[in-house]
Amino acid sequence: MSSQNKILKIHPKDNVLVALTNLAKGNRFQFNSKEYEIQDDIPAKHKFATEHFSKGDIIYMYGVIVGKAKKEIPIGGLISTTNLEHDTEAYNAEDSIEKIQWQAPDISKFIEKTFNGYHRTDGKVGTENNWLVIPLVFCQNRNIEVLKQALVEKLGFGKQQHLGFDVDSLIEDYKNDVPVESILNRNIIKPNTEKLKNPIFPNIDGIHFLTHEGGCGGATSDSVALCNLLAGYINNPNVAGATILSLGCQHAQAGILENALNKMSPTHKKPIYILEQQQSDSEQKFLAEAVKKTFAGLIEANKNERKPAPLSKLVIGLECGGSDGFSGISANPTLGYVSDLIVGLGGATVLSEFPELNGVEQELINRCVTPEKAKKFSKIMSTYSAKADALGAGFYANPSPGNIKDGLITDAIKSAGAAKKGGTSPVEDVLDYTEQVVNAGLNLLCTPGNDVESTTGLAGSGCNVILFTTGLGTPTGNPITPVVKVSSNTMLFNKMPDIIDFNTGAIIEGTSSIEETGENLLDFVIQIASGKLTKAKQLRQDDFIPWKRGMSL
């Protein structure tokens, strides 16, 4: 491997280099006509100094400020938590915004392509056709589980297991006094089985039973946000309709949900059944009514069939989690290129996780199409940051131990790489949590960096596909929106083939470009949007966590 394939400079302004493979102390490398002697063992994905840093000196990566030196760092020295602290560039939405000149990438390969989706009466197109059973308050969680037990197996949605375990053999061993050592050595994993067409409702992809811990007992604002989120889920084009269980006396009143849904889609014709337990004669009658109405809704939803739709009907969420030092070099820029392709085709993309945009605010402000959008983004970011600081967990605390171990030393380094998912197109809209995507182009959506809270928010704002990059691996999924897991490195892709859908590691290895990989990923997205199951769907990773706007990063 030549030095050019061992180290990388991401941006001309950078004063650090990235190790693409493990570098040993004492090794010498030529890079851009300059020789570097490595002063410490540099693990792959980590960085080393290209100039001598004194205490307080600014360090750049991706062309932006990502920290400042806490002490002297020699040329060739490892950048680590011991010598670097979080620091970012100040931002100001009041600065004049120049007219954005943006050229979309070549979209000729995709201009005539379509995906097979479910067309809704409001003009949106779903990549799935799901039915939801939702509680307005945590008091109804048990009833949701009762409905799940009553409906799933009988209607054919629970028979095909992604992964089974032969527990019967363990019971038999125990009855026959088989030693524990032998039991522990037994292979009890049953082979995977592909999803089959539902025998009763073949045009329904799933019936999903969402539970949560909200709806009452906390701040009224949390209950209103929950109603807005649930309305967003019903409004998502991947949802055909919903059964909603209410106790009756909770903060999250049915009327709040109905008002939110009517604002989002005044002309929606989806079947929605709201049942209130305190108006029922008995729990049994209450649940029986829920079963009948759900069944009637499924009959109606099953009438919809997949039909061709232009790629402009895609609304793609851009997410990352379990990130590593390669995420911002391979997987995230690949998503950025896909985002630019989709925007060029007239579709919409959504960049979320506002704590992971810390340090690149000015770049995004400069890309906003109007001063009003820029000011909205700036206000949401500053308010969020101030609240996090007040609660003792500022944005600087965002990187996880796994992030740090794999090269994301500061939140600013993590953010600079994470922002690459948004590509280069103008920012057409800025959305607060639960606000709906209504504009084509790149949208910014305020969510926390917490993976499940963020993917929950992306689906709640209307995304019909989510692309999720990871360098360390995560099984995260979503009940209504397919989540495509994209690895930043080939080692992870080979290690977790049951979790990862798509690999961008060839970019790190120098055998594929971002553009080529991005086009391949968009082709894969078309397959997913047409019904191919993601690994998260096969694993039935139906993760759903509403965000309470507190300290969560």
Side-chain angles (χ1 to χ4, degrees):
M1 181 182 283
S2 70
S3 61
Q4 296 297 321
N5 293 325
K6 290 184 178 180
I7 52 182
L8 173 70
K9 188 172 188 177
I10 298 173
H11 189 278
K13 193 175 180 179
D14 294 355
N15 49 17
V16 296
L17 288 172
V18 182
L20 301 180
T21 186
N22 293 333
L23 306 179
K25 180 180 179 179
N27 285 171
R28 292 177 177 272
F29 294 100
Q30 288 280 343
F31 189 83
N32 288 352
S33 302
K34 185 174 180 181
E35 185 175 79
Y36 298 96
E37 181 176 350
I38 303 302
Q39 302 299 312
D40 309 280
D41 288 337
I42 313 290
K45 308 178 186 180
H46 285 257
K47 295 86 189 167
F48 66 87
T50 61
E51 60 187 65
H52 181 273
F53 295 120
S54 299
K55 182 179 180 180
D57 283 351
I58 297 299
I59 294 176
Y60 290 87
M61 190 174 171
Y62 297 98
V64 298
I65 297 172
V66 296
K68 62 183 178 181
K70 294 195 286 187
K71 59 182 182 181
E72 287 195 17
I73 307 173
I75 297 174
L78 172 69
I79 304 297
S80 70
T81 54
T82 64
N83 57 29
L84 180 70
E85 63 184 353
H86 175 78
D87 194 24
T88 61
E89 182 181 355
Y91 59 94
N92 184 3
E94 300 299 327
D95 290 347
S96 60
I97 301 176
E98 298 179 5
K99 188 173 181 180
I100 301 165
Q101 301 292 330
W102 181 72
Q103 180 65 47
D106 181 6
I107 59 172
S108 58
K109 178 181 175 182
F110 298 96
I111 198 74
E112 298 296 332
K113 290 191 176 184
T114 61
F115 70 96
N116 289 323
Y118 296 96
H119 293 248
R120 305 299 180 190
T121 57
D122 60 2
K124 298 177 183 177
V125 180
T127 61
E128 293 187 357
N129 194 32
N130 297 301
W131 189 271
L132 295 180
V133 184
I134 313 172
L136 278 178
V137 61
F138 58 81
C139 305
Q140 291 298 313
N141 282 349
R142 174 189 169 277
N143 286 335
I144 295 292
E145 292 299 328
V146 171
L147 292 178
K148 183 176 182 180
Q149 293 173 19
L151 290 168
V152 169
E153 292 292 341
K154 291 292 184 182
L155 297 183
F157 289 101
K159 293 181 179 178
Q160 295 301 317
Q161 298 295 325
H162 72 277
L163 187 65
F165 300 104
D166 185 10
V167 178
D168 289 337
S169 67
L170 299 182
I171 295 172
E172 193 64 27
D173 283 350
Y174 172 70
K175 288 179 178 179
N176 293 326
D177 294 323
V178 172
V180 172
E181 291 77 11
S182 297
I183 290 175
L184 292 175
N185 287 324
R186 177 184 282 278
N187 180 13
I188 64 166
I189 298 176
K190 294 180 179 179
N192 291 355
T193 55
E194 287 295 322
K195 177 185 174 183
L196 303 177
K197 276 283 188 181
N198 185 282
I200 303 172
F201 300 117
N203 295 321
I204 296 177
D205 293 290
I207 176 170
H208 299 285
F209 302 80
L210 309 185
T211 57
H212 56 80
E213 303 304 317
C216 202
T220 301
S221 58
D222 286 336
S223 292
V224 172
L226 175 64
C227 287
N228 290 338
L229 178 68
L230 297 179
Y233 266 62
I234 298 168
N235 188 49
N236 189 294
N238 292 358
V239 172
T243 304
I244 299 153
L245 301 190
S246 170
L247 179 59
C249 57
Q250 72 275 352
H251 283 310
Q253 286 288 298
I256 301 174
L257 173 69
E258 290 175 299
N259 288 338
L261 183 56
N262 288 333
K263 287 181 181 178
M264 292 174 184
S265 184
T267 60
H268 81 86
K269 296 181 180 179
K270 294 180 181 180
I272 310 295
Y273 305 113
I274 301 177
L275 298 95
E276 185 175 306
Q277 186 169 7
Q278 289 172 346
Q279 296 297 320
S280 182
D281 294 337
S282 71
E283 185 171 278
Q284 194 171 32
K285 289 182 179 179
F286 171 67
L287 293 175
E289 190 69 12
V291 168
K292 290 187 291 184
K293 288 186 173 178
T294 300
F295 193 83
L298 292 170
I299 293 173
E300 184 65 26
N302 190 57
K303 295 176 183 178
N304 202 341
E305 297 180 2
R306 288 186 183 272
K307 296 177 182 177
L311 300 188
S312 60
K313 294 296 183 179
L314 290 174
V315 182
I316 298 183
L318 307 167
E319 176 75 17
C320 59
S323 300
D324 71 345
F326 286 161
S327 292
I329 303 171
S330 56
N332 291 347
T334 297
L335 262 62
Y337 191 72
V338 171
S339 176
D340 286 349
L341 287 171
I342 291 295
V343 171
L345 290 163
T349 59
V350 188
L351 180 62
S352 59
E353 300 177 291
F354 273 24
E356 296 177 13
L357 300 179
N358 182 218
V360 294
E361 293 97 338
Q362 194 63 53
E363 176 192 333
L364 292 169
I365 284 170
N366 294 342
R367 287 166 59 186
C368 287
V369 294
T370 67
E372 290 73 25
K373 303 293 184 187
K375 289 174 183 176
K376 182 177 181 180
F377 173 62
S378 175
K379 182 178 180 181
I380 293 174
M381 284 294 289
S382 60
T383 301
Y384 193 170
S385 179
K387 188 166 188 177
D389 284 338
L391 293 171
F395 288 168
Y396 61 85
N398 180 253
S400 69
N403 294 150
I404 294 169
K405 178 178 178 293
D406 269 48
L408 302 180
I409 304 301
T410 68
D411 184 58
I413 292 177
K414 186 177 180 181
S415 296
K420 296 300 178 185
K421 300 192 302 292
T424 61
S425 68
V427 174
E428 294 290 341
D429 208 354
V430 176
L431 308 173
D432 207 347
Y433 183 63
T434 75
E435 289 185 327
Q436 300 295 288
V437 176
V438 294
N439 291 331
L442 176 63
N443 294 252
L444 304 181
L445 171 66
C446 181
T447 71
N450 176 293
D451 300 350
V452 178
E453 287 177 331
S454 186
T455 52
T456 297
L458 283 166
S461 287
C463 294
N464 54 14
V465 176
I466 295 173
L467 299 182
F468 189 123
T469 68
T470 182
L472 305 175
T474 170
T476 303
N478 184 268
I480 67 168
T481 300
V483 178
V484 178
K485 222 62 60 57
V486 179
S487 65
S488 70
N489 61 90
T490 302
M491 183 181 295
L492 172 64
F493 183 73
N494 292 334
K495 181 182 178 183
M496 294 185 170
D498 59 331
I499 287 176
I500 305 299
D501 297 285
F502 188 90
N503 180 35
T504 65
I507 295 170
I508 299 297
E509 295 149 15
T511 58
S512 182
S513 67
I514 289 170
E515 294 77 13
E516 181 184 2
T517 308
E519 289 184 351
N520 291 338
L521 178 54
L522 182 51
D523 279 329
F524 185 77
V525 168
I526 293 170
Q527 296 178 49
I528 296 298
S530 300
K532 180 181 174 69
L533 291 181
T534 63
K535 298 297 176 63
K537 285 291 181 182
Q538 293 176 37
L539 290 168
R540 300 196 177 189
Q541 291 291 340
D542 292 340
D543 302 318
F544 177 79
I545 302 180
W547 180 31
K548 287 188 177 181
R549 299 192 77 152
M551 196 167 61
S552 177
L553 296 178

